[in-house]
């Protein structure tokens, strides 16, 4: 049977529309890495939601609130996708992300929990790196939410689950290190600070915290905190509070050579050379080869006119 030109072009046009729709859906799936077996309309709504989310991020430059126009539209599209398919994993993920960006903390936490419930019922984490990273991020955000509420035990559980899913997630390693320190598990805190440094040797203040934990293990957490407090006072020339802090640190750890050293330094700078001599000698009792203490001991004796 021969087709007239109009019928022929109509069929060609329909075929092109079908093919283009397939490519569009394929492109969306590739762009968003859609793994859910869901309806095309839900994918379309999610793509619109993600586009609006990106537009909102570009437009508002950090001033993100759920009541702003672009965020209202982004959230609405994501909710429409979930209305079509409540089990649409990627839509649950991006809606949680939108709540995160807009600081809608209660809804964010609830949405991450929904996402976790869905993703744990699949085998996607064993086949997709992106899914592993998304799941790790979900655990991290729930951990952050629990930490803000003061629930350190629950936050630590979430952070460690995050690291289990994707060990290289910096934020989860950082906060695991912080929480272990705040709950007085210094050895584990040191372990995770070392992981942070391995991931990024230049990560802000990571080396400081690593050194602080090492010193806290050596001298005691409270003693070292008092020592740091004393040094902060000393730098500001608040000598009396500095003396009190160093003395308290020494009371907690009588073998704390650095605390004796800086206590002696404060006494030297305030002209109390007798006390400076006494404390430099304590340093040398603990560390006989401490050249700096030996030098300042002699200088203190010279100022006092003694040997």
């Amino acid at each position: 049977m021969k087709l007239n030109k109009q019928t022929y072009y109509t069929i060609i046009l329909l075929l092109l529309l079908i093919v283009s729709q397939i490519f569009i859906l394929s492109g969306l799936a590739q762009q968003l890495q859609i793994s859910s077996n869901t309806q095309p309309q839900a994918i379309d709504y999610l793509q619109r939601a993600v586009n609006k989310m990106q537009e909102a991020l570009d437009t508002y430059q950090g001033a993100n609130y759920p009541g702003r126009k672009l965020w209202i539209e982004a959230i609405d599209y994501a909710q429409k996708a979930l209305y079509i398919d409540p089990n649409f994993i990627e839509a649950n993920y991006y809606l949680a992300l939108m709540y995160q960006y807009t600081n809608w903390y209660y809804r964010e936490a609830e949405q991450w929990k929904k996402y976790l419930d869905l993703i744990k019922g699949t085998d996607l984490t064993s086949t997709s790196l992106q899914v592993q990273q998304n799941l790790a991020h979900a655990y991290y955000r729930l951990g952050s939410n629990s930490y803000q509420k003061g629930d350190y035990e629950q936050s630590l559980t979430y952070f460690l689950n995050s690291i289990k899913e994707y060990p290289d997630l910096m934020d989860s390693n950082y906060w695991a290190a912080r929480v272990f320190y705040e709950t007085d598990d210094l050895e584990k805190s040191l372990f995770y600070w070392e992981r942070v440094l391995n991931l990024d040797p230049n990560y802000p203040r990571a080396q400081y915290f690593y050194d602080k934990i090492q010193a806290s293990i050596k001298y005691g957490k409270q003693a070292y905190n008092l020592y740091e407090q004393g040094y902060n006072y000393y730098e500001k020339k608040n000598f009396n509070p500095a003396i009190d802090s160093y003395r308290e640190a020494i009371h907690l750890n009588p073998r704390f050579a650095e605390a004796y050293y800086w206590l002696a330094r404060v006494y030297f700078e305030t002209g109390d050379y007798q006390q400076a001599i006494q404390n430099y000698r304590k340093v040398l009792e603990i560390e006989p080869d401490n050249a700096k203490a030996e030098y300042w001991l002699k200088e203190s004796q010279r100022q006092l006119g003694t040997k």
Side-chain angles (χ1 to χ4, degrees), residues 53-66 68 70-71 98-105:
M53 178 181 75
Q54 190 57 57
E55 185 181 353
L57 291 171
D58 293 340
T59 301
Y60 300 134
Q61 295 293 311
N64 297 304
Y65 309 102
R68 305 199 79 168
L70 294 174
W71 282 116
M98 291 172 195
Y99 290 145
Q100 173 190 328
Y101 283 132
T102 55
N103 304 308
W104 208 338
Y105 298 119

Side-chain angles (χ1 to χ4, degrees), residues 98-116:
M98 291 172 195
Y99 290 145
Q100 173 190 328
Y101 283 132
T102 55
N103 304 308
W104 208 338
Y105 298 119
Y106 172 76
R107 287 201 175 186
E108 179 197 353
E110 292 301 309
Q111 198 62 45
W112 284 127
K113 289 175 184 176
K114 291 178 184 177
Y115 171 74
L116 288 178

Side-chain angles (χ1 to χ4, degrees), residues 215-233:
S216 297
I217 291 171
K218 181 178 180 180
Y219 298 117
K221 179 180 176 180
Q222 188 176 354
Y224 190 75
N225 282 340
L226 287 164
Y227 165 79
E228 280 196 319
Q229 179 178 288
Y231 188 77
N232 290 334
Y233 282 132

Side-chain angles (χ1 to χ4, degrees), residues 37-56:
N37 183 18
T38 191
Q39 298 181 40
Q41 186 63 49
I43 296 175
D44 179 64
Y45 276 133
L46 181 58
Q47 181 64 66
R48 296 185 190 187
V50 172
N51 290 345
K52 284 293 179 183
M53 178 181 75
Q54 190 57 57
E55 185 181 353

